[in-house]
Amino acid sequence: MSRRGLAAVASVLDQAASSATNILVLVLAARLSSASGFADFSMVYVTFSVLLGLNMAYVGQTVVLEKGERLASVCRSGLAFTAAASAVAGAALGVVGLVLAGGAGRAFLALGLVLPLVLVQDGLRYCFSALRAPERALAADALRLVCVVPALLLQPEGASAGRLVLVWGVSALPALALGLWLLRPSVRGARVELRPYLRRGHLGQRFVVEFAVGNGSSQLAVLGLGVFATPLAVGALRGATTLFGPLNVLFNSANAFGPPVVGRARGKRGVVRLTALMGGALAVVGAGWGAVLYALPDRLGRQLLGDTWAAASALLPATGAQYAVMGLGTCALLTLRVLNPRATLSLQVVFSLLSVGLLLGGYALWGVAGAAWGLALGSAAKAAAGWLRVARIEVPAAPASAAESVPAA
């Protein structure tokens, strides 16, 4: 296998390790906590997930788009900014924890204490991706997984949310130490520059808006459907999408860690050829995964989703179609990330909102099956618009740095 192929495999495995960590943390916390304790833990973990996504958008996405002589400085500066910003956010969470009463307050206080550890450890992944060393990120994230699971398993049943959050955060220390040790040879002597992250027009500001719109629209869709639909319909739609979780690992890996790999292609034609092949492969995988799920015997399906399987299985053709076109759309956005990072914001805003409208409109006309097909249609429209935008892009002779201004398409 070529070095590029090995890098791609390591990136996917790293994303899988990170996703497995998040899933197992929630599962173990649910097993150890009381109902009220897990509610407190979940509220804090959602807060962490939002902060993680914001940091990924503001810092991580700009780091993986960087290349050239400034790369070592950008990696070191990105980590320094993450450490400083997470310390400020952690202090704010500590104040919230002191104001709130009971277990929720103690859990927020614990998150404030460990936030810099977990965000800097996660930020190392983007540095290794930009440096084309995803195997180092995989080593650190595998260690993170190996440490957090036993640490939580050693906690007593009925442990408070604050204790679980503290243990979860402190268990990141070995992975953080390993990651910094692996990164040190690549960034030794590089300058730390925080000013670009505070400057108006920093590319990460656009990515934060994209993150907010994408996540906000998905939450709006769920809330909107919950207003009009029955709980069974909402559960069926969530159950169907949950079954496609492994594909989310692939899509997230392509979006987060693909730019350094794709950026090595020669010119626009080389980039488009590579991402089109990736998009086609992801589309085939999405359709194939949907077909496998649709062919599952009801007995196995009920073991996966329980009583929700009967309603969710009827949505699998629509959800499989949605994930097939999402593969094409993901690679269209990846292409734009490499060729013109400022061209993705309008697509994300317009078509995320369009998907919400199609979901609600589909439900109004054809019930929950219409909602699922509405989401598929929205994803197809987004993919088509993305590739049309790719076709219209004129690439300058000298590619601009991610930290510099890039002309809009």
Side-chain angles (χ1 to χ4, degrees):
M1 184 181 292
S2 67
R3 178 169 177 79
R4 183 180 296 180
L6 289 173
V9 170
S11 295
V12 172
L13 291 176
D14 176 56
Q15 185 65 39
S18 180
S19 299
T21 299
N22 292 332
I23 293 171
L24 288 173
V25 164
L26 289 170
V27 169
L28 292 174
R31 291 177 57 182
L32 291 168
S33 306
S34 63
S36 61
F38 185 66
D40 292 336
F41 183 90
S42 297
M43 185 167 56
V44 170
Y45 206 76
V46 167
T47 302
F48 161 72
S49 299
V50 171
L51 293 173
L52 181 69
L54 290 174
N55 187 66
M56 177 272 294
Y58 196 83
V59 181
Q61 284 292 290
T62 57
V63 168
V64 297
L65 289 173
E66 192 63 58
K67 53 187 175 181
E69 297 178 355
R70 296 184 63 251
L71 184 54
S73 177
V74 167
C75 288
R76 196 168 183 179
S77 301
L79 286 179
F81 179 83
T82 296
S86 59
V88 173
L93 289 170
V95 172
V96 171
L98 293 174
V99 172
L100 290 177
R106 290 189 291 273
F108 273 106
L109 181 59
L111 178 61
L113 292 173
V114 302
L115 187 66
L117 299 178
V118 291
L119 285 189
V120 173
Q121 192 271 321
D122 185 80
L124 286 165
R125 302 165 61 211
Y126 301 95
C127 295
F128 289 131
S129 177
L131 293 166
R132 299 173 186 171
E135 67 280 358
R136 300 182 190 178
L138 175 58
D141 285 331
L143 180 60
R144 170 73 168 131
L145 177 60
V146 168
C147 289
V148 70
V149 171
L152 289 175
L153 285 174
L154 290 173
Q155 303 312 303
E157 190 170 347
S160 68
R163 176 171 178 161
L164 293 177
V165 170
L166 198 60
V167 169
W168 159 77
V170 172
S171 66
L173 274 172
L176 175 60
L178 175 62
L180 291 174
W181 180 71
L182 292 173
L183 181 68
R184 184 181 177 186
S186 300
V187 300
R188 185 184 291 114
R191 291 183 58 188
V192 174
E193 299 178 89
L194 299 183
R195 189 171 299 175
Y197 291 97
L198 304 174
R199 185 182 302 148
R200 185 176 181 181
H202 174 62
L203 190 57
Q205 295 167 8
R206 299 177 70 90
F207 294 156
V208 164
V209 174
E210 291 185 25
F211 171 78
V213 169
N215 281 263
S217 64
S218 64
Q219 295 301 320
L220 178 63
V222 173
L223 291 174
L225 189 62
V227 170
F228 300 107
T230 64
L232 179 61
V234 177
L237 197 59
R238 279 189 173 277
T241 55
T242 298
L243 293 173
F244 285 82
L247 294 188
N248 288 330
V249 173
L250 289 176
F251 295 163
N252 291 336
S253 182
N255 186 52
F257 305 112
V261 176
V262 174
R264 298 169 64 183
R266 291 186 176 182
K268 177 182 176 181
R269 181 175 297 180
V271 169
V272 171
R273 184 184 298 117
L274 180 56
T275 53
L277 287 173
M278 290 172 60
L282 289 178
V284 170
V285 171
W289 185 253
V292 168
L293 292 173
Y294 191 68
L296 278 181
D298 286 343
R299 177 177 56 82
L300 293 178
R302 288 193 180 91
Q303 290 179 357
L304 290 172
L305 291 181
D307 293 337
T308 305
W309 169 256
S313 60
L315 307 182
L316 289 176
T319 307
Q322 178 192 357
Y323 272 81
V325 294
M326 278 174 63
L328 295 172
T330 296
C331 289
L333 291 175
L334 172 59
T335 310
L336 292 173
R337 279 278 197 270
V338 173
L339 298 179
N340 189 344
R342 296 183 184 275
T344 57
L345 178 58
S346 58
L347 282 174
Q348 293 280 45
V349 171
V350 171
F351 288 95
S352 292
L353 296 177
L354 176 64
S355 292
V356 174
L358 290 172
L359 178 145
L360 298 178
Y363 180 78
L365 293 174
W366 297 292
V368 67
W373 281 110
L375 285 175
L377 182 59
S379 296
K382 186 176 182 179
W387 285 108
L388 285 174
R389 178 66 65 87
V390 168
R392 290 171 45 211
I393 282 182
E394 296 181 3
V395 181
S401 167
E404 299 172 352
S405 179
V406 182

